[in-house]
């Protein structure tokens, strides 16, 4: 909020009963001069600007605009009402009070203005002694607040006695900087659904042990985080007593439960302390519309060309801790109810997970619950394919870096750019992506099931939409990486023509059914149709090796085909063999050392280039020697 613009409205003239005005100008003058001005002042004062240095809430600039209710000034009045973001409606007697509900508020509505209205009963010094503030509030103010939702708050003032002058303008400022409307429904006397949802997320994030209660230590940590100062023991007891007076159930020896936390914030809103609720919500990055800030959900995180995003050590640590916290029964798996509790403060499972048929896309235990290994693999894949999704869910789930100035981007890291894959060397990546390519019924789906340790099923189910499987693989030497296997389904032709998709892929795995004579021709035809596939490292795999091998109906047999490319012969494997895990290590290893996945003739070209450079250097050195020898000979 950059500025608060207060439009001061009220009846000008002369009430037939007492011949006095509402006192708008006197209120403003009393604020500026800090005393009551007895001299006659002009009926409409010029605009006044209060700088943020004068202790305004949220340090905003405040502009106060006086208006006239005279008919000839109506166009100016309407213009100022439309420009304002809060209206101070002043009345001083029964006549001007009646006009507030009969004329003024309906007039604001007729202009299409939807801003808070602060109702001010001025000239309280003129009321009779029997007319108490409580009586005025009950008989005058509360009926208007009940009838018109625009009325944010009410106050009695006296310019002559300088009573509540600063307070009335502070209420106007607060109505803009800490609006009650998004939080509380005064007619229903209840917090609004959006506020309840936001506060439930706050409770979730502050309930560190997820036992359903805010313990004393958790409340103290919450107080320090939101208000920057510790909470005294007496204050803590007062909070508990406040909640207990409303309902005894929310308070137990364990602390305050979610119901009690919501009741406490409802009390703040009811008693005009809604700025406390806003401080809490804004600490947890909520906007005035009670949505999370876009800059919080989607911080700037650019990925250079040929690089990728991965979870950093702190990111992995956060997801490990989250898994362990919600695995309440310690069965090393997250059941549907545990997953539901974990994702409570989010919009639900990421859409990307639904597209990948989670949880069947990763490792599960015997009860079909996702394991810690599968949980980390799933987030590794999510970060690789859609870093923005991971960043948003880190924000929803409460990731915090020890440095409060840091954002959720500290949970991610960028890999070194992978440009020249044919050059010998290691790719510095921990998440690798392989496209599994092959003809129908080649055994691709069974390969993905085997990768996730699923039992083999002989029933054939054609793959229509693309399918992914992600799991960890241990490379020679003990280093662990995450491997994403993607079966392309009917999207195979479109993906293989998409250069951007291919650039994101680390390796192509060409698969065929060694027992089907028509299976390998799909690969040779594919490579002929898409010659640019030669730019990607590749591995050839003959599946279903447990069956009788047959001669392929192709111009060249698979072994001769790969030999002609100076590549390794196809690996003969079966998903029914225990050794199938070695294939996944080989895929990951080839992706990490991509030059090993190219034809050797291509490597030789690279080697000859170096040879030519070396020969050129020798020739140049020889020519220099001859030139020097001739010069010496002439001398």
């Amino acid at each position: 909020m950059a500025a608060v613009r207060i439009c001061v409205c009220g009846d000008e003239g002369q009430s037939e009963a007492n011949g006095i005005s509402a006192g708008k100008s006197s209120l403003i003058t009393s604020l500026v001069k800090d005393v009551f001005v007895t001299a006659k002042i002009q009926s409409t004062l010029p605009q006044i600007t209060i700088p943020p240095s004068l202790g305004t809430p949220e340090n905003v600039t405040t502009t106060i605009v006086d208006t006239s209710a005279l008919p000839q000034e109506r166009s100016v009045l309407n213009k100022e009402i439309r420009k304002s973001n809060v209206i101070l409606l002043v009345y001083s007697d029964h006549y001007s009070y009646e006009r507030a509900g009969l004329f003024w508020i309906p007039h604001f509505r007729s202009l299409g203005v939807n801003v808070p209205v602060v109702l001010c009963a001025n000239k309280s010094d003129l009321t009779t002694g029997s007319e108490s503030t409580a009586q005025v509030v009950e008989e005058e103010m509360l009926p208007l607040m009940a009838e018109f939702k625009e009325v944010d708050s009410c106050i009695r003032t006296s310019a002559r006695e300088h009573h509540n002058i600063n307070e009335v303008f502070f209420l106007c400022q607060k109505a803009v900087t800490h609006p009650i409307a998004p939080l509380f429904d005064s007619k229903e006397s209840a917090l609004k659904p959006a506020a309840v949802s936001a506060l439930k997320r706050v409770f979730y994030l502050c309930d560190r042990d997820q036992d359903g209660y805010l313990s004393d230590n958790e409340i103290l940590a919450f107080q320090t985080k939101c208000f920057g100062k510790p909470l005294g023991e007496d204050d803590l007891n007062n909070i508990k007593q406040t909640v207990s007076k409303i309902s005894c159930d929310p308070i137990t020896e364990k602390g305050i439960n979610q119901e009690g936390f919501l009741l406490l914030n409802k009390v703040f809103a009811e008693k005009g302390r809604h700025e406390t609720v806003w401080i809490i919500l804004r600490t947890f990055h909520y906007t005035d519309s009670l949505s999370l800030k876009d800059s919080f959900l989607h911080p700037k995180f650019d990925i250079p060309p040929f690089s990728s995003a991965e979870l950093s050590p702190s990111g992995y640590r956060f997801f490990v801790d989250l898994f362990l916290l919600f695995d309440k029964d310690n069965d090393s798996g997250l059941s549907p109810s545990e997953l539901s509790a974990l994702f409570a403060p989010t919009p639900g499972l990421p859409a990307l997970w639904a597209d990948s048929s989670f949880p069947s896309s990763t490792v599960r235990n015997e009860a079909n619950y996702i394991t810690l290994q599968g949980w980390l693999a799933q987030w590794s894949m999510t970060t690789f394919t859609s870093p923005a999704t991971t960043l948003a869910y880190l924000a929803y789930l409460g990731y915090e870096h020890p440095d409060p100035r840091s954002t959720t981007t500290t949970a991610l890291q960028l890999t070194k750019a992978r440009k020249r894959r044919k050059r010998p060397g290691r790719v510095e990546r921990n998440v690798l992506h392989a496209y599994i390519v092959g003809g129908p019924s080649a055994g691709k789906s069974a390969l993905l099931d085997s990768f996730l340790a699923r039992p083999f099923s002989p029933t054939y189910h054609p793959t229509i939409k693309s399918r992914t499987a992600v799991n960890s693989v241990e490379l020679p030497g003990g280093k662990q990486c995450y491997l994403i296997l993607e079966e392309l389904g009917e999207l195979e032709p479109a993906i293989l023509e998409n250069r951007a998709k291919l650039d994101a892929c680390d390796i192509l795995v060409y698969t065929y059914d060694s027992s089907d004579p028509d299976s390998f021709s799909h690969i040779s035809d594919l490579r002929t149709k898409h010659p640019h596939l030669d730019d990607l490292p590749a591995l050839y795999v003959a599946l279903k090796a447990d069956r009788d091998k047959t001669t392929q109906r192709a111009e060249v047999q698979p072994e001769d085909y790969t030999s002609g490319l100076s590549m390794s012969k196809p690996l003969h494997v079966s998903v029914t063999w225990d050794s199938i895990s070695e294939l996944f290590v080989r895929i990951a290893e080839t992706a990490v050392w991509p030059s090993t996945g190219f034809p050797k003739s291509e490597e030789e070209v690279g080697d000859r280039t170096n040879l030519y450079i070396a020969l050129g250097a020798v020739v140049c050195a020889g020519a220099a020697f001859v030139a020097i020898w001739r010069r010496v000979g002439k001398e």
Side-chain angles (χ1 to χ4, degrees), residues 23 46 111 158 169 171 193-194 196 219 232 238 259 326 359 376 385 420 428 495-496 525:
L111 297 175
S158 170
F169 289 99
L171 281 178
V196 170
I219 292 174
N238 288 336
E259 180 190 352
F326 282 89
L376 296 179
T385 55
R420 300 176 179 86
E428 299 298 328
I495 290 176
L496 295 182
D525 293 345

Side-chain angles (χ1 to χ4, degrees), residues 201 281-282 284-301 347 387-396 407-409:
R201 176 177 172 272
L281 294 174
R282 286 170 181 162
F284 286 86
H285 308 283
Y286 281 94
T287 65
D288 287 353
S289 60
L290 294 179
S291 61
L292 286 169
K293 292 180 181 176
D294 190 65
S295 59
F296 174 62
L297 290 177
H298 307 290
K300 183 178 177 60
F301 187 77
T389 299
T390 300
L391 287 172
Y393 275 79
L394 285 165
Y396 285 128
T407 66
T408 51
T409 56

Side-chain angles (χ1 to χ4, degrees), residues 246-260:
I246 304 171
S247 174
C248 295
D249 295 337
I251 303 292
T252 70
E253 292 182 357
K254 293 182 177 180
I256 301 176
N257 65 12
Q258 187 183 87
E259 180 190 352

Side-chain angles (χ1 to χ4, degrees), residues 99-130:
R99 290 262 298 165
L102 294 175
F103 169 74
W104 283 107
I105 300 179
H107 182 66
F108 302 152
R109 289 182 174 181
S110 71
L111 297 175
V113 173
N114 185 22
V115 297
V117 175
V118 175
L119 192 63
C120 173
N122 194 23
K123 302 187 179 181
S124 60
D125 56 290
L126 297 179
T127 58
T128 61
S130 61

